[in-house]
């Protein structure tokens, strides 16, 4: 296997190197690529040092798979060039997610949409991945009518510069700011950019990507995305209304049986998911499972996952594994 990693020097890129190694790709021909600024720098992978190459050079090496985590601009520019050489691209940016011709995949839910002809496969947004992991088995059984979700998103979702901003603020250093406001001791209802309808791009992803992954264009979603000064993972308060009524015990069983989901719900002993516990793990943790007593057929959940793992690197590498097993 020849694997290129575009954005190898970034925060997600670093976790991708770790996850690739964990999942048995330590012996692959590894091609780390990044911006021109990083060409010639060294990155570690599976105990060895590799020189970062330009994206153009990575394309010429015709890898079997190229995993992208370098933002939408580079994905739009370079993914088709890889695809033209026969490389399968797994793209972590939002560049291709809403393209109806490109699969948007969480392997446990809809890996089957990928065909041998697909050369660009989109990895969903981190907040969407963890939410649909919890909701997919419930949607199958009771069919979702409407979701109301509020997120509490880790600053790691904004990349290394955001982590540095928080560190600088804590140390009293005035450094570069990636957010419009101080994030330490603060939070803001702002993830992505504002759209004409008053929602942010991150909020609209929760609607559009959920419909695409769960293959149900009628699901209603309304979201509020909040950035919090946390590093371990994203948390979500999810209120979901179904067409069919549910039994709470059955809901718990469905969640516990969903591959990749861990039910962590024992309020009597203060057991519930938190970023502190989710950090560094691949699973999506679900707790605070309870009926919404204000209206029928409606459930409340608290969902936490490490946004750099299942929300980004792990899901992307799982897609690569899926493709390798079936089409390479
Ligand atoms: P570089 O380190 O050379 O800037 P993060 O999300 O942590 O900010 O990381 C972004 C990643 O995307 C980095 O690896 C960065 O490389 C890479 N990147 C940014 N712009 C480009 C580009 N135009 N071409 C290739 N890689 C890019």
């Amino acid at each position: 296997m020849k694997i290129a990693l575009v954005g190898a020097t970034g925060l997600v890129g670093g976790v991708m190197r770790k996850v690739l190694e964990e999942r048995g790709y330590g012996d692959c021909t590894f091609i780390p690529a990044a911006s021109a600024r990083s060409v010639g720098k060294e990155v570690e992978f599976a105990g060895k040092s590799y020189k970062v190459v330009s994206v153009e050079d990575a394309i010429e090496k015709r890898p079997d798979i190229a995993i992208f985590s370098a933002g939408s601009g580079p994905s739009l520019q370079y993914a088709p060039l890889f695809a033209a050489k026969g490389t399968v691209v797994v793209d972590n940016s939002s560049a291709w997610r809403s393209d109806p011709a490109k699969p948007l995949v969480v392997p446990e839910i809809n890996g089957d949409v990928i065909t041998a002809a697909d050369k660009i496969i989109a990895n969903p947004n981190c907040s969407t991945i963890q939410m649909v992991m919890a909701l997919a088995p419930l949607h199958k059984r009771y069919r979702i009518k409407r979701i109301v979700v509020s997120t509490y998103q880790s600053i790691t979702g904004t990349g290394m510069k955001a982590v540095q901003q928080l560190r600088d603020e804590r140390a009293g250093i005035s450094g570069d700011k990636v957010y419009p406001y101080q994030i330490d001791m603060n939070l803001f209802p702002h993830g992505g950019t504002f759209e004409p309808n008053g929602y942010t791009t991150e909020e609209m992803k929760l609607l559009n990507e959920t419909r695409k992954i769960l293959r149900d264009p009628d699901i209603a979603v309304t979201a509020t995305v909040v950035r919090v000064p946390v590093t371990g993972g994203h948390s979500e308060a999810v209120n979901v209304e179904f067409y069919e009524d549910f039994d709470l015990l059955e809901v718990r069983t469905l969640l516990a049986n969903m591959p990749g989901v861990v039910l962590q719900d024992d309020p009597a002993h203060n057991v519930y998911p938190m970023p502190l516990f989710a950090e560094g793990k691949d699973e999506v943790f679900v707790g605070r499972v309870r009926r919404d007593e204000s209206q029928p057929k409606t459930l409340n959940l608290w969902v936490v996952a490490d946004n750099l793992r299942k929300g980004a690197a792990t899901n992307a590498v799982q897609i690569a594994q899926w493709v390798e097993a079936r089409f390479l």
Side-chain angles (χ1 to χ4, degrees):
M1 277 288 282
K2 219 192 265 184
I3 300 180
L5 180 56
V6 180
T9 54
L11 200 53
V12 173
V15 181
M16 281 178 169
R17 281 183 268 137
K18 222 182 281 174
V19 175
L20 280 168
E21 184 186 350
E22 287 168 8
R23 292 183 174 245
Y25 293 103
D27 291 332
C28 76
T29 302
F30 181 62
I31 307 162
S35 79
R37 293 179 291 275
S38 301
V39 171
K41 282 189 190 162
E42 307 250 315
V43 293
E44 292 289 314
F45 175 63
K48 281 179 263 172
S49 212
Y50 290 79
K51 270 207 179 359
V52 174
V53 302
S54 68
V55 187
E56 288 82 359
D57 283 353
I59 294 166
E60 288 312 312
K61 291 182 192 299
R62 294 175 178 264
D64 299 293
I65 290 179
I67 304 179
F68 270 64
S69 193
S72 288
S75 292
L76 284 171
Q77 186 180 351
Y78 296 116
L81 303 181
F82 273 105
K85 299 266 184 192
T87 299
V88 176
V89 172
V90 180
D91 181 35
N92 190 44
S93 81
S94 58
W96 305 99
R97 289 178 191 153
S98 56
D99 182 336
K102 307 280 185 295
L104 178 69
V105 174
V106 178
E108 294 90 338
I109 301 171
N110 67 336
D112 58 301
V113 297
I114 303 172
T115 69
D118 288 314
K119 292 292 175 219
I120 300 177
I121 301 163
N123 200 45
N125 178 253
C126 41
S127 306
T128 309
I129 292 178
Q130 67 184 69
M131 186 172 83
V132 294
M133 281 289 287
L135 294 183
L138 308 181
H139 180 56
K140 223 183 214 172
R141 176 73 178 82
Y142 312 115
R143 193 169 168 223
I144 295 170
K145 188 172 181 188
R146 177 171 184 250
I147 301 164
V148 183
V149 54
S150 297
T151 72
Y152 305 71
Q153 293 187 204
S154 162
I155 56 162
T156 56
T158 318
M160 269 173 187
K161 290 185 186 121
V163 177
Q164 195 54 48
Q165 177 175 337
L166 179 74
R167 284 190 189 135
D168 288 347
E169 287 168 359
R170 291 211 169 149
I173 298 167
S174 77
D176 289 345
K177 291 208 180 297
V178 53
Y179 295 128
Y181 295 103
Q182 172 185 320
I183 183 68
D184 188 28
M185 309 285 282
N186 191 25
L187 54 81
F188 20 81
H190 180 181
T193 54
F194 285 100
E195 299 208 333
N197 64 358
Y199 286 82
T200 65
T201 44
E202 291 283 301
E203 288 162 352
M204 296 313 293
K205 286 173 192 174
L206 278 154
L207 165 67
N208 298 320
E209 296 182 18
T210 297
R211 286 177 169 175
K212 187 166 172 179
I213 297 161
L214 295 182
R215 292 178 258 208
D216 189 339
D218 297 326
I219 294 177
V221 181
T222 187
T224 303
V225 161
V226 182
R227 190 70 66 185
V228 294
V230 161
T231 53
H234 290 355
S235 304
E236 296 176 337
V238 183
N239 178 268
V240 52
E241 183 185 358
F242 298 101
Y243 284 98
E244 302 293 326
D245 201 6
F246 55 83
D247 170 74
L248 264 187
L249 263 181
E250 189 184 53
V251 165
R252 287 171 184 282
T253 306
L254 289 168
L255 289 168
N257 290 342
M258 174 71 185
V261 168
V262 174
L263 185 62
Q264 209 172 48
D265 192 25
D266 183 4
H269 296 98
N270 295 342
V271 173
Y272 34 72
M274 287 191 287
L276 193 66
F277 297 154
E279 184 164 12
K281 307 219 171 78
D282 284 327
E283 293 86 359
V284 173
F285 299 88
V286 184
R288 302 297 319 279
V289 180
R290 64 213 192 276
R291 200 173 266 284
D292 177 348
E293 295 182 339
S294 71
Q295 73 169 7
K297 303 178 190 173
T298 306
L299 183 75
N300 280 310
L301 300 170
W302 176 249
V303 184
V304 180
D306 185 333
N307 54 299
L308 298 180
R309 303 275 308 196
K310 183 58 183 169
T314 301
N315 199 72
V317 175
Q318 284 177 307
I319 294 173
Q321 289 180 290
W322 182 287
V323 168
E324 185 198 5
R326 287 159 183 83
F327 306 117
L328 296 183

